[in-house]
Amino acid sequence: LNQELAHDLLERAGVEVVIAGDGQQAVDLLAAGSRFDAVLMDCQMPVMDGYTATRTLRGLPGLQTLPVIAMTASVLEADRARMYDCGMSDCIPKPLDVPQMFATLARWVHPQPGADGPLSGAPAAATPDDAVPALPGIDTAAGLAHCMGKPQLYRRVLRAFLRGQRDFAAQFDEARRGPDTQAAARLAHTLRGLAGTVGAHALHRLASELEERLARGSADADIDAAATALTRELDALIGSLLPHPWVADEAVADGAPPDPGQLAEPLRALARLIADSDAEALTYALELQRVLAGSSLESLAASLGDALKRYDFEQANTWLSALYERTGVQR
């Protein structure tokens, strides 16, 4: 969602954007000789994190001076030192402060001759019909500012936030049991950034606490306590926002998943393809995601699809197991 929001804001300002799904994809894209004026680098990514990707690309011919700007919710001095040590040029904190984002970009990127105009981060004035109503548990002024003052963009971000995070507890539990030791921290980090973006300050604070405990290697009981507090706040926020007429639509309604009998064969076909590390599994996963759209299982299906896009069959199998468990289908 942060990626989608940044993409939208940059394109509105006349910036041409190419998305890389993880650090390895970014390195591959740059190694192929593609011409870019800058890289906006997330620090916490699967496959290859932003620090490793930056060190790698700095070793590629002609990329020693390419501006690499971190985009991260981690802005402590230790984090900044790590960014600069690996060769990053600057930092844009999340949640996005739009004027600051464009001011940072303007230090490193200059419009080509004949471009329509300079980068501009000035928020647009909202009309009375676009006014954002008061929302429970949300600082709408902060959320709107992060969306360039555009109410419809903010509304879309809120809806996507609800779709993507309502299964956080299940995803977090699966991640802690899975083989990727950083997966749980990435989920907490992502939720922290998104909560700040939409203006959910209490949720942002709790996600920060959970991320910090994971980073410190705290005892399981302490992590469980932080995760429980976070889940309680998230569930309350989602429960108050889903029925709100300004936010609610058919895409975020908490619908029931299809009957388990309808899901048995698609899940088993996916299991066979994933066991064989067959790339065709992604086609089946995307179809399953379409079937589960709008249901309480949509986020798990999306996580499964994301893992397969990265050819991470081991992680995909973890999400598939979670779907079996949640649907009650026997393997």
Side-chain angles (χ1 to χ4, degrees):
L1 179 56
N2 274 319
Q3 186 182 78
E4 180 183 342
L5 176 60
H7 188 197
D8 193 299
L9 294 174
L10 290 165
E11 286 202 329
R12 288 171 185 261
V15 179
E16 293 183 33
V17 182
V18 175
I19 297 291
D22 56 57
Q24 183 63 60
Q25 290 183 24
V27 169
D28 293 345
L29 191 62
L30 291 160
S34 301
R35 174 72 171 86
F36 291 94
D37 297 300
V39 176
L40 297 178
M41 185 74 78
D42 196 350
C43 292
Q44 294 201 23
M45 294 181 286
V47 183
M48 180 186 289
D49 64 38
Y51 304 109
T52 306
T54 302
R55 287 194 189 92
T56 304
L57 71 86
R58 287 300 186 214
L60 297 175
L63 298 181
Q64 288 76 23
T65 61
L66 176 68
V68 178
I69 303 170
M71 295 187 76
T72 179
S74 302
V75 291
L76 299 176
E77 284 305 313
D79 298 314
R80 289 183 180 275
R82 189 179 178 192
M83 293 171 200
Y84 296 131
D85 285 347
C86 74
M88 293 181 179
S89 313
D90 213 327
C91 174
I92 296 172
K94 293 186 291 188
L96 294 177
D97 178 319
V98 178
Q100 182 181 349
M101 178 179 76
F102 284 112
T104 302
L105 276 172
R107 287 199 292 269
W108 301 96
V109 180
H110 305 287
Q112 298 295 323
D116 291 339
L119 294 173
S120 171
T127 65
D129 289 342
D130 284 336
V132 179
L135 298 173
I138 294 287
D139 180 349
T140 56
L144 193 59
H146 295 144
C147 293
M148 220 170 171
K150 299 181 181 297
Q152 293 311 309
L153 176 58
Y154 181 39
R155 188 184 189 194
R156 180 159 60 86
V157 167
L158 269 174
R159 288 173 169 176
F161 170 76
L162 294 177
R163 283 196 299 269
Q165 297 302 312
R166 62 186 176 188
D167 265 354
F168 172 85
Q171 293 185 40
F172 185 77
D173 288 344
E174 289 296 328
R176 288 187 72 192
R177 294 196 295 265
D180 184 347
T181 58
Q182 296 302 310
R186 282 198 302 271
L187 287 171
H189 181 82
T190 297
L191 179 54
R192 172 187 172 186
L194 295 178
T197 295
V198 300
H201 297 316
L203 190 62
H204 178 270
R205 176 180 56 79
L206 291 168
S208 299
E209 183 175 340
L210 176 58
E211 185 183 7
E212 288 165 9
R213 291 190 184 188
L214 287 163
R216 290 198 305 265
S218 298
D220 285 346
D222 292 335
I223 293 173
D224 289 342
T228 298
L230 172 60
T231 300
R232 188 181 299 118
E233 176 68 23
L234 177 60
D235 288 347
L237 182 65
I238 291 175
S240 64
L241 286 177
L242 276 175
H244 196 286
W246 193 78
V247 178
D249 70 350
E250 66 281 359
V252 296
D254 193 14
D259 183 88
Q262 296 177 256
L263 298 175
E265 184 49 40
L267 289 176
R268 288 167 186 155
L270 261 172
R272 291 191 295 270
L273 292 167
I274 290 172
D276 293 337
S277 298
D278 191 327
E280 184 66 17
L282 178 58
T283 302
Y284 282 73
L286 293 176
E287 175 61 19
L288 181 66
Q289 194 171 331
R290 185 193 66 77
V291 171
L292 295 175
S295 80
S296 57
L297 300 178
E298 180 181 3
S299 294
L300 278 176
S303 296
L304 171 62
D306 289 342
L308 289 170
K309 288 175 185 176
R310 304 190 304 268
Y311 300 101
D312 187 345
F313 291 98
E314 188 172 12
Q315 186 62 51
N317 191 57
T318 299
W319 296 127
L320 181 64
S321 297
L323 281 167
Y324 268 110
E325 183 179 335
R326 293 283 299 278
T327 58
V329 174
Q330 297 298 312
R331 296 195 81 150

